[in-house]
Amino acid sequence: MWKRILDKGDSESGISTFASFCTTMAMRVGTGNVAGVAVAIYAGGPGAIFWMILAGMTNSAVCFVECVLSSLYKTKIDGEYRGGGPYCAERGLGWKPYAIFLAFVSFIGIGCFMPAAATNTIADGFQKSLGIPMIATAIVIAVIMAVVIIGGVKRIGTVASFIVPPMVIIYLLAAVAVLIINIGEVPHMISLVVQSAFGPKSLIGGGIGIAIQQGVKRGTFSSASGMGESMPPAAAAETSHPVKQGMANAAGVWLDTVIVCTASGLMILLTDAYNTEFGYASQRFAEQLAGEKGGVFYVQMAASTVMGSIAPTFIAIMLALFSFTCLISYYYEAETAMIYVFEGEGKEGIRKTATWVLRIAMIALICYYGVAASDLAWGLADLALGSITWINMVVVLALSPKAFALYKDYREQMKAGKDPYYNPDKLSWKGVDTAMWKQINAKRIAEDK
């Protein structure tokens, strides 16, 4: 998986595997990795971290399948590769009405509701650290967002490739610093997490049921596996075999949920920078965290044990980068769903008009979400993620045998010492754009004849 992230090759029609990986990671490494982890600990206790990690491991398999399918059933529209859940539903299953329904739900959910938590959390972080009014932060985000998304998928991929790697590395270094300084507390913390994951309500959480609920909920929110968020960037990549892109994006789930989310959880638990809904209150930060119900402030307090007074600002900046990259990915995914609805020759003008309407609407919503109530923002984001996941997973499960067949083909080529490529003459199904795939791998197909 990790080797496939660095696969090279892009074109006028598609971005590189690395750019696709970074675009997907831009969506994943975001609000859920910082504020979402804190919310999980508050609502489910320390045990939620255990179930969050487990959810990340299993979600990587879900992500693999949906990204393989998205790459397989992608097609060219206006000179660019496009794909995703709706394309798979129509091309792979022949479910045109269902595909349109999925596209509308994705367009509304990802374009209108998912940005709520990201925007609100950025604004909240800067208000708590620097006293900047939330509306001011929201306006700045909206302006920068406009500059990026007007450049289309190429600019989105470039910005994501530039921002994502350093921001993840810097954040993990901060987590390692907290871990080293509090190394003596690690055995106690591990014991606490395991006991809270399986123990009764008395273990400062809400019992095993709530711990599982919060862990899976936040693990799924962070990775977005199953809802199809990673499918459009996977389809946009220039790759020789769908499995290559599936592996690269599956690695992203491990990096996002199993590593980055765990880093946030470690910082919070090791420094006792948390409260829980069921009665536990921090002894170390009792005054600062009084009345706090999760959120970025937990991580800011945890980082302050190492960085001192600059910690709140540092975490606010990290969160701003995390969440902003989420926003640009949300736009691309919503745009892809919208373009599907208006797919077809003679509709170029409609697609351009709809694209501009989406851009303006999303920028306006960002300004609103910056000052919305936190509960409303997270509620809208959770509603969008849950709704889309149920609808999209029907398609993923129905088409999963195709992903398994492609994986078998990939493994056979690897064992034969070949660089795997997809040949639709040897393995194909109705709905696959065979002409496009033959063009992508024309040289390899000719060499093997």
Side-chain angles (χ1 to χ4, degrees):
M1 290 192 301
W2 301 108
K3 284 170 60 180
R4 288 304 171 202
I5 293 172
L6 300 177
D7 278 351
K8 297 182 179 180
D10 57 4
S11 67
E12 293 182 359
S13 302
I15 58 179
S16 68
T17 295
F18 182 71
S20 173
F21 169 80
C22 287
T23 303
T24 304
M25 288 307 296
M27 168 270 297
R28 287 199 178 111
V29 181
T31 313
N33 295 82
V34 183
V37 174
V39 169
I41 292 174
Y42 174 77
I49 298 298
F50 175 90
W51 298 108
M52 182 184 68
I53 294 171
L54 187 62
M57 293 178 179
T58 55
N59 281 343
S60 66
V62 175
C63 176
F64 170 79
V65 172
E66 63 183 0
C67 288
V68 168
L69 294 172
S70 184
S71 184
L72 173 67
Y73 288 108
K74 69 183 180 183
T75 189
K76 272 188 184 180
I77 300 176
D78 298 334
E80 293 183 348
Y81 295 132
R82 295 282 183 175
Y87 296 84
C88 292
E90 179 187 352
R91 294 175 172 275
L93 298 169
W95 296 355
K96 179 70 174 180
Y98 192 89
I100 294 174
F101 173 61
L102 175 55
F104 269 112
V105 173
S106 299
F107 169 70
I108 294 170
I110 297 176
C112 300
F113 293 164
M114 286 296 288
T119 305
N120 189 266
T121 304
I122 296 174
D124 183 55
F126 279 110
Q127 183 186 52
K128 283 187 167 65
S129 62
L130 298 174
I132 298 174
M134 294 179 71
I135 185 61
T137 301
I139 291 172
V140 172
I141 295 168
V143 172
I144 300 175
M145 178 80 174
V147 173
V148 175
I149 64 178
I150 287 172
V153 64
K154 288 285 187 178
R155 186 177 297 173
I156 290 171
T158 300
V159 171
S161 299
F162 179 75
I163 294 177
V164 170
M167 79 178 186
V168 171
I169 292 171
I170 292 170
Y171 186 73
L172 289 178
L173 287 174
V176 170
V178 173
L179 178 65
I180 292 173
I181 290 175
N182 296 277
I183 195 69
E185 297 297 319
V186 171
H188 171 70
M189 183 203 64
I190 294 174
S191 174
L192 178 66
V193 169
V194 174
Q195 289 183 61
S196 298
F198 297 97
K201 184 175 179 179
S202 59
L203 287 168
I204 73 175
I208 185 171
I210 296 179
I212 292 173
Q213 179 200 55
Q214 289 299 320
V216 173
K217 191 177 184 180
R218 291 300 150 214
T220 302
F221 185 96
S222 177
S223 69
S225 296
M227 79 171 294
E229 274 192 351
S230 58
M231 295 174 78
E238 186 73 59
T239 184
S240 63
H241 200 294
V243 168
K244 290 182 177 180
Q245 196 57 45
M247 285 196 161
N249 286 5
V253 177
W254 280 79
L255 177 59
D256 165 75
T257 308
V258 180
I259 298 177
V260 180
C261 282
T262 301
S264 295
L266 288 175
M267 286 198 285
I268 292 170
L269 296 178
L270 281 172
T271 58
D272 191 35
Y274 67 97
N275 301 326
T276 73
E277 187 176 6
F278 299 92
Y280 179 80
S282 172
Q283 303 301 308
R284 188 172 185 178
F285 298 102
E287 183 178 345
Q288 295 95 323
L289 298 181
E292 289 289 334
K293 300 179 180 180
V296 64
F297 202 46
Y298 282 12
V299 185
Q300 289 175 321
M301 286 296 98
S304 70
T305 62
V306 174
M307 301 180 185
S309 60
I310 69 167
T313 303
F314 169 77
I315 295 299
I317 292 172
M318 284 290 98
L319 186 60
L321 292 173
F322 282 13
S323 300
F324 178 74
T325 54
C326 274
L327 291 173
I328 61 175
S329 290
Y330 291 157
Y331 166 77
Y332 176 67
E333 290 141 22
E335 180 190 84
T336 299
M338 179 271 297
I339 284 177
Y340 171 80
V341 175
F342 300 111
E343 181 184 5
E345 294 184 9
K347 295 183 179 180
E348 292 85 357
I350 297 175
R351 287 196 290 271
K352 287 182 179 180
T353 301
T355 297
W356 278 103
V357 170
L358 171 63
R359 289 169 178 170
I360 294 169
M362 195 165 177
I363 290 167
L365 283 170
I366 285 173
C367 292
Y368 167 71
Y369 290 140
V371 295
S374 177
D375 289 347
L376 173 64
W378 279 97
L380 289 174
D382 282 341
L383 174 65
L385 183 138
S387 301
I388 301 169
T389 299
W390 280 106
I391 300 168
N392 186 66
M393 277 303 296
V394 172
V395 178
V396 174
L397 289 169
L399 290 173
S400 59
K402 274 72 171 180
F404 303 152
L406 285 167
Y407 179 68
K408 181 180 179 182
D409 174 64
Y410 172 89
R411 291 291 297 167
E412 288 173 352
Q413 292 187 61
M414 286 289 289
K415 288 179 180 178
K418 297 180 179 179
D419 177 25
Y421 75 98
Y422 175 55
N423 186 349
D425 287 335
K426 294 181 179 179
L427 185 66
S428 187
W429 299 272
K430 183 179 179 181
V432 174
D433 191 338
T434 56
M436 179 198 69
W437 277 107
K438 286 182 179 180
Q439 182 182 19
I440 291 172
N441 292 319
K443 184 178 179 181
R444 296 289 303 279
I445 292 172
E447 288 175 351
D448 283 351
K449 283 187 177 180

